[in-house]
Amino acid sequence: MKDTHKIMILAGDGIGPEAMAEVGKIANWLNSRGDIGLELEHDLVGGASIDANGVPVTDATIAKCKEADAVMLGAVGGPKWDGVDYNIRPEAGLLKVRKDLDLFANLRPAIVFDALIDASTLKPEIVKGLDILIVRELTGGVYFGEPRGIETLPNGEKRGFNTQTYTTSEIRRVAEVAFDLARKRSKKVTSCEKANVMESGKLWREVVTDLHKNHSDIELSHMYADNCAMQLLRNPRQFDVIVTDNLFGDILSDEASMLTGSLGMLPSASLGAEDPETGKRYAMYEPVHGSAPDIAGQGKANPLATILSFAMCLRYSLNRGDLADKLEQAAQDVLNKGLRTPDIMAENCTQISTSDMGDAVIDQLGELIKEAA
Ligand code: NAD
């Protein structure tokens, strides 16, 4: 029997539990074959936790997340909880998990699957084969910097202000993640900031350049964030790994993900610091989409974003890049066969349910594992 990995499952609200059920099926299937040992523990987050516990995540749940090897999160929120107090809104649960686990590096892949190439708003020849990974700093920068606020000036006019701050260590740790990830890919990092007009950008560039001395096998380039926004539309395939701060990362990762054209296909990972003694790193994996209350409970949800998030979990937290590759390939093969949930339905394809999509991925995974044996 392989080592057992503990995964904390926080399925959340809306389509979260439906999509996560498909991950559960895949995990159980892998377990039953002895490909890996996975112990899944389930708990509540978001609206489901508000209903049961009065808060969007309990301290006990956070403690269990810290004990686990990785956390898988579905989605939170929905109209049912729109009226709750701002501090205990469903999204606050998600933010608390990210904060308490100090998940400072947000990874957003933007991959264009051949079968879905027409879903992109860009021409197929521009996005064919696209595979970018955006690493966004998640816990610092202008979203958290002090001082911040809205003040009234002596002349009665109001002034809103926020502060962009980054320390050397905050920049180093996220850049370190980007270099390490690039090593497992095409060995190219593009670091984005606005060093031409912002001191924090100037420091960002200096620190990344200095750190690069320890990663000279990786090709490093620097790009102003506004140019990066243009290049993502002009020639996105020039990029491999992009590392950037919280604000620019927020915008650039949304732009890059839309090159792929489909919200139901986008996974993400958020990583924390590695414990130097145990080598363990807190991590949470979640689809980019929300709880989609408009289609919840109807078997229409596309589970692939959650399944691909599980693939990232296998690769980055469980050190099973071999299984991650196969799972990603299985998802791609299923699309190539023309099987589609309603959100990505196209001409000459067969529409299937959330659960059928999970089954189809398992069938294909079985084929791939058999072929490799
Ligand atoms: P959403 O991502 O839930 O849905 C946007 C549109 O995309 C909807 O039409 C939905 O049906 C569709 N969609 C999304 N995921 C899909 C999937 N996997 N399969 C098929 N169709 C899919 O965004 P929204 O409607 O703006 O927000 C709904 C709720 O989700 C809100 O309460 C919002 O606060 C919350 N939200 C949560 C997260 C999160 O948990 N990380 C992220 C975004 C929004």
Coordinates of all heavy atoms in Angstrom, one line a residue, residues 15 73-79 82 91 94 98 263-264 286-295 300-303 305 341 343, ligand 1:
I15 N -23.0 24.6 -6.8 CA -22.5 23.4 -7.6 C -21.2 22.9 -7.0 O -20.7 21.8 -7.4 CB -22.2 23.8 -9.1 CG1 -21.1 24.9 -9.2 CG2 -23.4 24.2 -9.8 CD1 -20.5 25.1 -10.6
L73 N -11.2 22.8 -2.3 CA -12.4 23.6 -2.0 C -13.3 23.7 -3.3 O -12.8 23.9 -4.4 CB -12.0 25.0 -1.5 CG -13.1 25.9 -1.1 CD1 -12.8 26.5 0.3 CD2 -13.4 27.0 -2.0
G74 N -14.6 23.6 -3.1 CA -15.5 23.7 -4.2 C -15.8 25.1 -4.6 O -15.1 25.8 -5.3
A75 N -16.9 25.7 -4.0 CA -17.2 27.1 -4.2 C -18.1 27.6 -3.1 O -18.7 26.7 -2.4 CB -17.9 27.3 -5.6
V76 N -18.1 28.8 -2.8 CA -19.0 29.3 -1.7 C -19.9 30.4 -2.2 O -19.6 31.1 -3.2 CB -18.1 29.9 -0.6 CG1 -17.3 28.8 0.1 CG2 -17.3 31.1 -1.0
G77 N -21.0 30.6 -1.5 CA -21.9 31.8 -1.8 C -23.2 31.4 -2.5 O -23.3 30.3 -2.9
G78 N -24.0 32.4 -2.5 CA -25.3 32.2 -3.2 C -26.3 33.2 -2.6 O -26.1 33.8 -1.6
P79 N -27.4 33.4 -3.3 CA -28.4 34.4 -2.9 C -29.0 34.2 -1.5 O -29.3 35.1 -0.8 CB -29.5 34.3 -4.0 CG -29.2 33.1 -4.8 CD -27.8 32.7 -4.6
D82 N -27.0 36.4 0.8 CA -26.7 37.7 0.4 C -26.9 38.7 1.5 O -26.2 39.8 1.6 CB -27.5 38.1 -0.8 CG -26.9 37.6 -2.1 OD1 -25.8 37.1 -2.1 OD2 -27.6 37.7 -3.2
E91 N -17.9 34.3 1.5 CA -16.6 34.5 1.0 C -15.5 34.7 2.1 O -14.4 34.5 1.9 CB -16.5 35.7 0.0 CG -17.3 35.5 -1.3 CD -18.8 35.5 -1.2 OE1 -19.3 35.8 -0.1 OE2 -19.4 35.2 -2.2
L94 N -13.7 31.6 2.9 CA -12.6 31.3 1.9 C -11.4 32.2 2.2 O -10.2 31.7 2.3 CB -13.2 31.7 0.5 CG -12.3 31.5 -0.7 CD1 -11.9 30.0 -0.8 CD2 -13.2 31.8 -1.9
R98 N -7.5 31.0 3.4 CA -6.3 31.5 2.7 C -5.3 32.2 3.6 O -4.1 32.0 3.6 CB -6.7 32.5 1.6 CG -7.2 31.8 0.3 CD -7.5 32.9 -0.7 NE -8.2 32.3 -1.9 CZ -9.0 33.0 -2.7 NH1 -9.2 34.3 -2.5 NH2 -9.6 32.4 -3.7
L263 N -15.2 29.2 -18.2 CA -15.1 29.3 -16.8 C -15.1 27.9 -16.1 O -14.4 27.7 -15.1 CB -16.2 30.2 -16.3 CG -16.2 30.8 -14.9 CD1 -14.9 31.5 -14.6 CD2 -17.4 31.7 -14.7
G264 N -15.9 27.0 -16.7 CA -16.0 25.7 -16.1 C -14.8 24.8 -16.2 O -14.8 23.6 -15.8
E286 N -8.7 24.9 -5.8 CA -10.1 25.2 -6.1 C -10.3 25.7 -7.5 O -9.4 26.2 -8.1 CB -10.5 26.3 -5.1 CG -9.6 27.5 -5.2 CD -10.0 28.7 -4.2 OE1 -11.2 29.0 -4.1 OE2 -9.0 29.3 -3.7
P287 N -11.5 25.4 -8.0 CA -11.8 25.9 -9.4 C -11.9 27.5 -9.3 O -12.2 28.0 -8.2 CB -13.2 25.3 -9.7 CG -13.8 25.0 -8.3 CD -12.7 24.7 -7.4
V288 N -11.8 28.1 -10.4 CA -11.8 29.6 -10.5 C -13.3 30.0 -10.4 O -13.6 31.1 -9.8 CB -11.2 30.1 -11.8 CG1 -11.5 31.6 -12.0 CG2 -9.7 29.9 -11.7
H289 N -14.2 29.2 -10.9 CA -15.6 29.6 -10.9 C -16.3 29.7 -9.5 O -15.7 29.1 -8.6 CB -16.4 28.7 -11.8 CG -16.5 27.3 -11.4 ND1 -17.2 26.9 -10.3 CD2 -15.9 26.2 -11.9 CE1 -17.1 25.6 -10.1 NE2 -16.3 25.1 -11.1
G290 N -17.4 30.3 -9.5 CA -18.2 30.4 -8.2 C -19.2 29.3 -8.1 O -19.0 28.2 -8.7
S291 N -20.2 29.5 -7.2 CA -21.1 28.4 -6.9 C -22.3 28.3 -7.9 O -23.1 27.4 -7.7 CB -21.7 28.7 -5.5 OG -22.4 30.0 -5.5
A292 N -22.3 29.1 -8.9 CA -23.3 29.0 -10.0 C -24.7 28.6 -9.5 O -25.2 27.6 -9.9 CB -22.8 28.0 -11.1
P293 N -25.3 29.4 -8.7 CA -26.6 29.1 -8.1 C -27.7 28.9 -9.2 O -28.6 28.1 -9.0 CB -27.0 30.2 -7.2 CG -25.9 31.3 -7.4 CD -24.8 30.7 -8.2
D294 N -27.5 29.5 -10.4 CA -28.4 29.4 -11.5 C -28.6 28.0 -12.0 O -29.6 27.6 -12.6 CB -28.1 30.4 -12.6 CG -26.7 30.2 -13.1 OD1 -25.8 29.9 -12.3 OD2 -26.5 30.5 -14.3
I295 N -27.5 27.1 -11.8 CA -27.6 25.8 -12.4 C -27.5 24.7 -11.3 O -27.4 23.5 -11.6 CB -26.6 25.5 -13.5 CG1 -25.2 25.8 -13.0 CG2 -26.9 26.3 -14.7 CD1 -24.1 25.2 -13.9
K300 N -26.0 20.0 -14.3 CA -25.5 20.7 -15.5 C -24.1 21.3 -15.3 O -23.5 21.8 -16.2 CB -26.4 21.9 -15.8 CG -27.8 21.6 -16.3 CD -28.5 22.9 -16.6 CE -29.9 22.7 -17.1 NZ -30.7 23.9 -17.1
A301 N -23.6 21.2 -14.0 CA -22.3 21.8 -13.7 C -21.2 21.1 -14.4 O -21.2 19.8 -14.5 CB -22.1 21.8 -12.2
N302 N -20.2 21.8 -14.9 CA -19.0 21.2 -15.5 C -18.1 20.9 -14.4 O -17.6 21.8 -13.7 CB -18.4 22.2 -16.5 CG -17.2 21.6 -17.2 OD1 -16.7 20.6 -16.8 ND2 -16.8 22.3 -18.3
P303 N -17.7 19.6 -14.1 CA -16.9 19.3 -13.0 C -15.4 19.4 -13.3 O -14.5 19.2 -12.5 CB -17.2 17.9 -12.6 CG -17.6 17.3 -13.9 CD -18.2 18.4 -14.8
A305 N -13.2 21.8 -14.0 CA -12.3 22.8 -13.3 C -11.9 22.2 -11.9 O -10.8 22.3 -11.5 CB -13.0 24.1 -13.1
T341 N -20.4 19.0 -21.1 CA -21.5 19.5 -20.2 C -22.1 20.7 -21.0 O -21.5 21.3 -21.9 CB -21.0 19.9 -18.9 OG1 -19.7 20.6 -19.1 CG2 -20.7 18.7 -18.0
D343 N -22.4 23.9 -20.6 CA -21.6 25.2 -20.7 C -20.6 25.2 -21.9 O -20.3 26.3 -22.4 CB -20.9 25.5 -19.4 CG -20.0 24.4 -19.0 OD1 -20.4 23.2 -19.0 OD2 -18.8 24.7 -18.7
Ligands
NAD1 P1 -20.2 32.0 -11.1 O1 -18.8 31.6 -11.4 O2 -20.8 31.2 -10.0 O3 -21.1 31.8 -12.3 C1 -21.0 32.6 -13.5 C2 -21.7 31.9 -14.7 O4 -20.9 30.8 -15.1 C3 -23.1 31.4 -14.3 O5 -23.9 31.5 -15.4 C4 -22.8 29.9 -14.1 O6 -23.9 29.0 -14.3 C5 -21.6 29.6 -15.0 N1 -20.7 28.6 -14.4 C6 -19.8 28.8 -13.5 N2 -19.2 27.7 -13.2 C7 -19.7 26.7 -14.0 C8 -19.5 25.3 -14.1 N3 -18.5 24.7 -13.4 N4 -20.2 24.7 -15.0 C9 -21.1 25.3 -15.8 N5 -21.4 26.6 -15.7 C10 -20.7 27.3 -14.8 O7 -20.2 33.5 -10.7 P2 -21.4 34.4 -10.1 O8 -22.7 34.0 -10.7 O9 -20.9 35.8 -10.3 O10 -21.4 34.1 -8.6 C11 -22.3 33.2 -8.0 C12 -22.0 33.0 -6.5 O11 -20.6 32.5 -6.4 C13 -21.9 34.4 -5.8 O12 -22.5 34.1 -4.5 C14 -20.5 34.7 -5.7 O13 -20.1 35.5 -4.6 C15 -19.9 33.3 -5.6 N6 -18.4 33.2 -6.0 C16 -17.7 32.3 -5.3 C17 -16.4 32.1 -5.7 C18 -15.6 31.1 -5.0 O14 -16.1 30.3 -4.2 N7 -14.3 31.0 -5.2 C19 -15.9 32.7 -6.9 C20 -16.7 33.6 -7.6 C21 -18.0 33.8 -7.2

